[in-house]
């Protein structure tokens, strides 16, 4: 169920940790200019842009920068909901080549959610300067999704990134994302719940992985359960706008959920 | 939409919930740990770092800037130098602006007299609105447009996240979030902006702590007041001493921030500080000219807009209060008299209290209103800059102790109306908004009471 997205054929969600140059990638793709903050959280608003690659138009949505999609800050929830229900045909995860390990947490969480992922390995020049070399081919083989090395600041690698996005969006390239496994006990449960979800989940979101939903159900994620319920009822996915003010109600003597 | 052929989603959710309760250990922890493990494994196989490579210059610099030994002295030194630059450089334009604006006032007066305007109109527009505006522009504008471009340069350089890194241990010790160091730095510019920036703190509990304590760093509007007090009382013509006292004031603000955070996190907002990743983004070559120009324009515009939209109306109101008599005394005098006993208790006086009361819309106007209240109904005093201010307040029996109390009150008292509105907007809660006003006010009164009592005991002020 794709959003009404102007005339763009595909929707691309841009995810990534803060300070990975995500906004620079966004600008390099769409040519939009906007102020980039210098610390996490300054870019809270979701920016949108459009680009045309080989005659096909793509709508790009710059999600808020997050380290994870598991906890429940408004930014993480917004990013997660958009990837799940925002009608994204491809999710590009922008990573910082200088500290890949920390960035991979988010990549692995997203490849668990949907197979339609392209990793943008940004800041490779910065990494080289620090004598850090990432083998993009090897990384792509490990993750099971395309990896495009870029220097977004200079535009280096951006055409290749667009090629990869096009290939995954159109289905020319079928990804086989790596699955993280969680030990026998949890896996048995996941398998059981996943099988009953196979019918339901695609109705809520076409690219959402039933396995991931099963994991979240076992984890007990009320926000996501509500979102899936809403999507099943054919409601429009929640408005991805972290600017909405979240009511922070503090329970007496405890930390609010 | 019907849900046929499969068991309903609700049933599945229920089944999963039951299954979860039968599991050993926490699923969330397991998931997070496993993902970390896998990520680490992938990195081991795909990332190469020739170990013999020397660390890059920025890594070495970070080691110094965030070191246990040198981190804090460096921060203090930088802040001190910035204050010193501000004080030295603000003096000249302040004098110059004051002279220019008050010669304008004389011309306006002549103009009004020639046009045969009634006295009350001249009073409200020239003696009230224009004079308050001139005060704000001449005394408040220079420190702000010098301090903030310096601050913006440090920000552009990427130094602020390092400050947050250094202060993280303190905030964690206070039961607050390390990112509060960043929201605190934002508060330097404007507490309303600081309160909005608290959104970067994910946990609601820690966000509220950051919101409630943001007021304890001096904003745009109060910073010049503190600069004025430092120069008038503690500088004695020595910019270095004034800079030091300003540094001490700001450090006190930080200390109060930590102390109040600590109290809050042990009382109404109990909880453990949450874990977070603080990035140290790469140092950037600051775009010096662009940053300076933008900060200059932004700040100058900010002050001018506030001066026109708040200072001028309040100035007019002050003049009206000073010139409307009720049973033989002006309203302003009556208001000051009513607040006098309370003011005395905390080492100030009724006029100062009145100025702070009228300063609720914006803190920029506390000093101008005070000057107007002291000079009384339309008396022609040339309040051009700090020398005039010194003469004025000493004529009203001020001692250095009064300066200390005013500094404390200005630093700690309730935030301006805009900030309070922002707190309400961000929390949507009358309770937190009320606390956001009353908590600082209580702290301010307590601090001033302590300072003045201590001062009187030691015989600093008779």
């Amino acid at each position: 169920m794709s959003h009404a997205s102007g005339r763009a054929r595909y929707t691309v969600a841009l995810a990534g940790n803060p300070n990975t140059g995500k906004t620079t990638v966004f600008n390099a793709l769409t040519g939009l200019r906007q102020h980039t903050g210098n610390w996490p959280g300054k870019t809270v608003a979701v920016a949108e842009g459009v680009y045309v690659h080989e005659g096909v138009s793509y709508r790009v949505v710059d999600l808020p920068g997050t380290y994870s999609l598991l906890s429940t800050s408004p930014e993480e929830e917004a990013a997660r909901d958009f990837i799940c229900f925002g009608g994204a045909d491809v999710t590009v995860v922008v990573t910082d080549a200088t500290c890949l390990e920390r960035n991979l947490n988010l990549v692995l969480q997203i490849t668990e959610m949907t197979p339609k992922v392209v990793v943008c390995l940004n800041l490779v020049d910065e990494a080289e300067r620090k004598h850090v070399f990432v083998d993009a081919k090897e990384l792509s083989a490990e993750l099971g999704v395309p990896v495009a090395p870029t220097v977004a600041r200079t535009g280096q690698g951006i055409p290749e990134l667009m090629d990869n996005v096009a290939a995954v969006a159109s289905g020319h390239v079928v990804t086989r994302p790596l699955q993280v496994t969680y030990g026998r006990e949890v896996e048995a449960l996941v398998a059981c719940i996943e099988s009953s979800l196979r019918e339901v989940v695609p109705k809520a979101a076409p690219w959402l992985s039933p396995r991931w939903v099963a994991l979240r159900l076992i984890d007990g994620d009320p926000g996501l359960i509500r979102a899936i319920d809403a999507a099943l009822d054919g409601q429009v996915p929640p408005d991805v706008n972290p600017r909405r003010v979240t009511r922070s109600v503090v329970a007496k003597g405890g930390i609010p959920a | 939409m019907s849900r046929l052929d499969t068991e309903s989603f609700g049933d599945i959710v229920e089944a999963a919930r039951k299954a979860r309760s039968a599991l050993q250990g926490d699923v969330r922890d397991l998931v997070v740990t496993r993902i970390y493990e896998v990520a680490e494994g992938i990195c081991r196989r795909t990332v190469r770092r020739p170990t013999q490579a020397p660390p890059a210059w920025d890594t070495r610099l970070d080691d110094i800037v965030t070191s246990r030994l040198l981190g804090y002295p460096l921060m203090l030194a930088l802040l001190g130098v910035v204050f010193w630059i501000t004080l030295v450089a603000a003096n000249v334009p302040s004098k110059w602006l004051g002279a220019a604006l008050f010669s304008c006032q004389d011309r306006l007066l002549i103009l009004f007299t020639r046009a045969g305007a009634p006295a009350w109109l001249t009073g409200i527009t020239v003696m009230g609105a224009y004079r308050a505006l001139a005060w704000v522009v001449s005394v408040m504008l220079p420190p702000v447009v010098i301090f903030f471009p310096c601050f913006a340069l440090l920000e552009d350089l990427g130094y602020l996240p390092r400050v947050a890194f250094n202060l993280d241990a303190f905030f964690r010790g206070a039961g607050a979030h390390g990112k509060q160091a960043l929201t605190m730095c934002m508060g330097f510019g404007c507490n309303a902006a600081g309160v909005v920036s608290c959104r970067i703190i994910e946990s609601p509990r820690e966000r509220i702590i950051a919101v409630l304590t943001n007021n304890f760093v001096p904003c745009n509007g109060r910073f010049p007041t503190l600069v004025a007090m430092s120069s008038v009382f503690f500088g004695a013509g020595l910019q270095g001493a004034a800079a030091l006292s300003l540094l001490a004031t700001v450090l006190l603000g930080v200390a109060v921030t930590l102390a109040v955070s600590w109290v809050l996190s042990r009382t109404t907002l109990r909880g453990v500080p949450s874990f977070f990743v603080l990035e140290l983004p790469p140092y950037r070559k600051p775009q010096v000219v662009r940053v300076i120009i933008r900060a200059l324009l932004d700040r100058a515009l900010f002050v001018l807009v506030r001066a026109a939209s708040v200072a001028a109306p309040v100035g007019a109101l002050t003049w009206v209060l000073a010139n409307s008599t009720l049973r033989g005394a002006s309203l302003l005098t009556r208001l000051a008299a009513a607040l006098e006993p309370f003011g005395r208790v905390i080492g100030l006086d009724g006029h100062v209290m009145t100025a702070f009361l009228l300063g609720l819309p914006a803190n920029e106007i506390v000093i101008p209103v005070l000057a107007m209240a002291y000079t009384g109904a339309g008396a022609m005093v040339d309040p051009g800059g700090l020398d005039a201010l010194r003469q004025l307040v000493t004529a009203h029996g001020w001692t250095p102790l009064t300066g200390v109390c005013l500094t404390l009150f200005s630093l700690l008292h309730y935030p301006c109306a805009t900030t309070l509105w922002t707190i309400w907007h961000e929390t949507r809660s009358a309770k937190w908004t009320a606390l956001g006003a009353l908590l600082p006010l209580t702290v301010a009164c307590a601090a001033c009471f302590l300072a003045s009592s201590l001062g009187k005991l030691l015989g600093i002020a008779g």
Side-chain angles (χ1 to χ4, degrees):
Chain A
M1 39 179 288
S2 197
H3 253 328
S5 47
R7 283 207 206 97
R9 168 108 55 99
Y10 297 115
T11 296
V12 181
L14 208 53
N17 288 13
N19 296 316
T20 50
K22 193 165 60 67
T23 305
T24 319
V25 172
F26 178 72
N27 289 341
L29 285 171
T30 62
L32 267 186
R33 286 262 158 272
Q34 56 163 202
H35 176 72
T36 55
N38 206 5
W39 62 62
K42 220 170 168 184
T43 326
V44 234
V46 167
E48 275 195 32
V50 173
Y51 72 88
V52 177
H53 181 61
E54 291 180 344
V56 181
S57 55
Y58 298 80
R59 162 184 173 238
V60 189
V61 178
D62 188 14
L63 302 178
T66 56
Y67 293 104
S68 145
L69 296 174
L70 289 172
S71 62
T72 49
S73 75
E75 283 82 6
E76 292 191 10
E77 216 166 284
R80 185 197 65 196
D81 285 352
F82 192 86
I83 294 168
C84 295
F85 312 107
D89 297 289
V90 183
T91 301
V92 172
V93 194
V94 182
T95 58
D96 177 349
T98 60
C99 49
L100 185 62
E101 192 174 324
R102 199 173 52 208
N103 288 247
L104 279 183
N105 289 312
L106 183 69
V107 174
L108 290 168
Q109 285 179 32
I110 292 176
T111 51
E112 210 167 41
M113 289 158 76
T114 163
K116 309 281 259 181
V117 175
V118 173
V119 171
C120 164
L121 185 65
N122 195 26
L123 303 167
V124 282
D125 57 336
E126 195 71 28
E128 242 164 77
R129 203 174 56 77
K130 291 185 171 171
H131 303 278
V132 176
F133 301 94
V134 181
D135 186 338
K137 272 208 184 63
E138 183 59 31
L139 182 64
S140 173
E142 289 258 4
L143 292 171
V145 299
V147 175
T150 58
V151 181
R153 208 169 29 81
T154 63
Q156 189 191 316
I158 296 293
E160 291 77 1
L161 175 66
M162 289 178 174
D163 289 341
N164 280 309
V165 169
V168 173
S170 62
H172 285 315
V173 165
V174 178
T175 60
R176 306 215 178 288
L178 163 82
Q179 295 291 346
V180 178
T181 52
Y182 299 105
R184 199 176 318 147
E185 199 188 7
V186 173
E187 286 300 327
L189 261 183
V190 168
C192 162
I193 294 170
E194 187 191 351
S195 64
S196 38
L197 283 168
R198 283 232 172 86
E199 294 277 343
V200 178
V201 170
K203 282 187 203 156
W207 296 113
L208 197 55
S209 144
R211 173 186 161 81
W212 180 77
V213 176
L215 267 165
R216 292 286 79 75
L217 292 187
I218 295 169
D219 190 15
D221 188 333
L224 181 77
I225 292 167
R226 270 198 304 276
I228 292 178
D229 252 330
L232 280 173
D233 290 338
Q235 290 171 15
V236 203
D239 183 22
V240 179
N241 185 1
R243 275 195 198 175
R244 66 193 165 155
V245 180
T246 48
R247 242 193 104 95
S248 28
V249 186
V250 179
K252 267 202 163 57
I255 312 173
Chain B
M1 199 169 165
S2 62
R3 297 184 196 167
L4 32 146
D5 64 9
T6 48
E7 46 188 317
S8 81
F9 182 61
D11 296 343
I12 305 172
V13 172
E14 190 50 33
R17 202 185 55 75
K18 283 209 183 77
R20 180 171 65 244
S21 51
L23 276 177
Q24 303 287 316
D26 186 47
V27 181
R28 175 61 57 95
D29 280 354
L30 176 72
V31 166
V32 172
T33 325
R34 277 294 293 147
I35 287 184
Y36 266 100
E37 279 170 9
V38 173
E40 194 197 356
I42 294 176
C43 278
R44 255 205 321 273
R45 294 184 292 273
T46 56
V47 181
R48 287 181 300 113
R49 313 165 174 265
T51 39
Q52 64 275 30
W57 63 268
D58 48 6
T59 315
R60 280 202 300 260
L61 183 57
D62 266 345
D63 287 344
I64 297 169
V65 168
T66 59
S67 78
R68 275 167 198 275
L69 192 64
L70 293 169
Y72 300 117
L74 257 172
M75 273 193 318
L76 293 181
L78 269 173
L79 201 57
V81 165
V82 169
F83 285 156
W84 182 77
I85 292 173
T86 304
L87 287 160
V88 170
N91 249 337
V92 179
S94 189
K95 279 205 174 76
W96 182 82
L97 274 170
L101 287 165
F102 285 100
S103 75
C104 261
Q105 177 184 306
D106 298 342
R107 287 207 194 102
L108 274 174
L109 279 175
I110 293 165
L111 197 73
F112 270 74
T113 325
R114 279 206 192 134
W120 60 266
L121 185 70
T122 313
I124 287 183
T125 43
V126 183
M127 304 313 291
Y130 179 82
R131 217 155 61 145
L133 195 119
W135 256 105
V136 169
V137 173
S138 65
V139 177
M140 302 283 162
L141 190 65
V144 167
V145 298
I146 291 160
F147 175 75
F148 285 99
C150 295
F151 203 70
L153 276 181
L154 286 179
E155 187 184 338
D156 203 53
L157 192 69
Y159 184 66
L160 284 195
R162 274 94 189 158
V163 169
F165 183 88
N166 286 341
L167 293 177
D168 176 52
F170 285 100
F171 280 103
R172 239 196 335 222
H177 198 291
K179 279 192 203 162
Q180 199 176 324
L182 294 175
T183 63
M184 195 173 75
C185 287
M186 286 295 285
F188 249 126
C190 163
N191 292 131
V195 167
V196 173
S197 77
C198 291
R199 290 178 187 179
I200 65 173
I201 296 173
E202 291 85 1
S203 121
R205 180 189 77 85
E206 286 146 311
R207 193 178 327 133
I208 300 270
I209 292 180
V211 164
L212 292 180
T213 55
N214 192 273
N215 168 67
F216 296 125
V217 284
C219 63
N220 232 342
R222 291 175 294 152
F223 184 70
T225 306
L226 305 180
V227 170
M229 286 301 118
S230 300
S231 310
V232 167
F233 283 107
F234 318 116
L238 286 170
Q239 302 297 0
L244 276 181
S245 75
L246 195 57
L247 185 62
T249 307
V250 170
L251 285 184
L252 179 73
V254 175
V256 171
T257 300
L258 289 166
V260 174
S261 300
W262 187 85
V263 171
L264 282 173
S265 72
R266 268 155 194 73
T267 52
T268 42
L269 292 158
R270 212 161 298 152
V272 280
S274 55
F275 162 84
F276 76 109
V277 181
L278 179 75
E279 292 240 24
L280 296 184
Y283 289 99
R284 296 153 211 256
K285 221 184 265 139
Q287 298 159 298
V288 178
V289 177
R290 213 176 58 92
V291 168
I292 287 184
I293 286 176
R294 220 185 55 211
L296 259 174
L297 289 177
D298 280 358
R299 292 297 158 184
L301 201 68
F302 185 92
V303 175
L304 291 174
V305 167
R306 294 271 278 200
S309 62
V310 184
V314 176
L317 174 71
T318 310
W319 189 88
V320 171
L321 287 176
N323 291 278
S324 328
T325 46
L326 181 76
R327 289 199 290 273
S330 77
L331 289 175
L332 191 68
T333 316
R334 289 191 171 277
L335 189 58
L339 293 168
E340 184 73 23
F342 174 69
R344 284 284 162 214
V345 169
I346 60 171
L348 298 163
D349 65 26
H351 284 98
V352 178
M353 290 290 105
T354 309
F356 274 113
L357 200 62
L358 290 171
L360 178 65
N363 285 299
E364 283 87 344
I365 54 176
V366 169
I367 295 275
V369 167
L370 183 62
M372 289 171 74
Y374 275 162
T375 51
M380 277 297 298
V381 157
D382 167 29
L386 296 173
D387 297 337
L389 187 65
R390 185 179 297 123
Q391 286 159 18
L392 187 65
V393 297
T394 40
H396 280 83
W398 280 37
T399 60
L401 184 64
T402 327
V404 169
C405 287
L406 186 105
T407 299
L408 284 174
F409 200 82
S410 173
L411 176 73
L412 305 172
H413 82 301
Y414 49 80
C416 72
T418 310
T419 304
L420 286 173
W421 184 85
T422 309
I423 294 179
W424 184 82
H425 189 261
E426 290 293 308
T427 60
R428 297 276 163 187
S429 135
K431 182 178 107 179
W432 295 127
T433 312
L435 200 61
L438 295 176
L439 182 82
L441 184 62
T442 314
V443 172
C445 293
C448 289
F449 175 74
L450 273 176
S452 79
S453 312
L454 199 70
K456 282 170 188 154
L457 266 179
L458 299 173
I460 297 174

